[in-house]
Amino acid sequence: MNALKKLFGGNTRQFGMIFALVALIVFFEIFTEGRTLTSGNVINLFNGNSYILILAIGMVLVIIAGHIDLSVGSVAAFVGVCVSLFIRDWGVPWYIGVLMGLGLGILIGAWQGFWVAYVGIPAFIVTLSGMLIFRGANQLVGKSNTIPVPEDFQYIGSGYLHEFGPNTGYNNPTMLIGLLGIAFVIFSEIRARRNAKALGAEVSEAWVMILKLVLICGAILYATYLFATGRPGTSFPVPGLILAVLVLIYGFISSRTVIGRHIYAVGGNRHAAELSGVQSKKVNFLVMMNMSLLAGLAGMIFVGRSTASGPFDGVGWELDAIAAVFIGGAAVTGGVGTVIGSIIGGLVMAVLNNGLQLLGVGADLTQIIKGLVLLIAVAFDVYNKSQGKRSVVGLLMKNFSRSNEIKADETTSTKEVISKGA
């Protein structure tokens, strides 16, 4: 156990979920006779779940702030059908259609954020209303018809990185992205270790850092190999690239910026945050608006993948996104959660769903199993709290102790969080 703590720097929260993900992959790889970790299956898994993972990025910020958004599936469907009509009937170029879709998502988010932040209506009610409004609007605007999109637009939902350079037997841009990812991980780890030493903090032994880097970089390299050796014409999918960029951006915002710390502070205790100078209304408005922006992007990616918008797009997406966030370790009461954890939680659900399909399990049993996984993941944490033991979320979230400190000592911790961003 001490070796594990040293290896993962005390941040076993994320790695605990990674262990669960790896266990699922190994299980299905064995019982599907090697069909899980094939290039084609891994590429399809990312293509088929990227829009849910994008929704999870926005949803985790909403849940950290202490809210819930039930409208994301309907908003995604409405934006998707509107963009399809913009391109087909108005004749706008596909990239202008994308910008218009993002703008529409922002407007919808501003509408819902206004009711939540400045009128004071609970987000559950506002977004439940939004779910009904935008589901009906999707069918009204699209007249319950399927509206195709051009091939150029389909690229954002089902495209692949174009090959360039010499014939190496692998997809060169995919290999380049993998190598850049490995370089980023190594640089980040060395920089963090150097900063810790400069501050006089305790650092782990060199062998621990080296072993950690070998494991992480080995996983990245293997994933890169799978993406780079798919059937001709495939590579790392464009939706996966969009997702990776969003993870980097929102991971940085949530953990390294003032607004990110304010979101945690509001979710931990809104009144204490306000006493410390946090503008909670502004924070609530921004997280709701951001959620609809990402919902619009997810809707367009789905339309691009399916080649057309339809009246039943987005059904149940909000539940998948919420499940990913809670499995990834977010607290129901707010104040706890990470972007990376939500992505890992979403991948757990995606691998589970994909593996069960490969095993030929019916849709009915698949839904039951996914529901049980969500229930058990949350119940286990609640049980530990009720027994006076340390919360699994708290135990595994040491690296994000600021959020836990807000829970433990509301006023003092909130002031400390805000002072860090001053």
Side-chain angles (χ1 to χ4, degrees), residues 44 165 167-168 361:
N44 289 334
N167 183 11
T168 61
V361 177

Side-chain angles (χ1 to χ4, degrees), residues 16-31 351:
M17 289 305 303
I18 291 176
F19 292 151
L21 178 61
V22 170
L24 274 178
I25 293 174
V26 171
F27 174 83
F28 286 123
E29 177 70 4
I30 294 172
F31 286 93
V351 170

Side-chain angles (χ1 to χ4, degrees), residues 42 51 81 116 131 167 332 335 338 373 378 391 402:
V42 172
Y51 61 95
V81 73
V116 173
M131 180 175 67
N167 183 11
V332 178
T338 66
V373 168
V378 178
S391 163
R402 285 191 297 268

Side-chain angles (χ1 to χ4, degrees), residues 347-400:
L347 288 176
V348 167
M349 296 296 284
V351 170
L352 181 63
N353 191 61
N354 175 260
L356 292 173
Q357 288 180 349
L358 292 176
L359 289 175
V361 177
D364 47 2
L365 284 178
T366 298
Q367 294 298 321
I368 292 172
I369 293 172
K370 288 167 66 177
L372 288 174
V373 168
L374 173 61
L375 182 63
I376 292 171
V378 178
F380 186 60
D381 186 64
V382 172
Y383 172 77
N384 277 278
K385 291 179 181 178
S386 68
Q387 296 299 310
K389 300 177 182 178
R390 190 163 185 182
S391 163
V392 173
V393 171
L395 175 64
L396 298 177
M397 286 289 291
K398 281 187 177 181
N399 197 41
F400 293 88

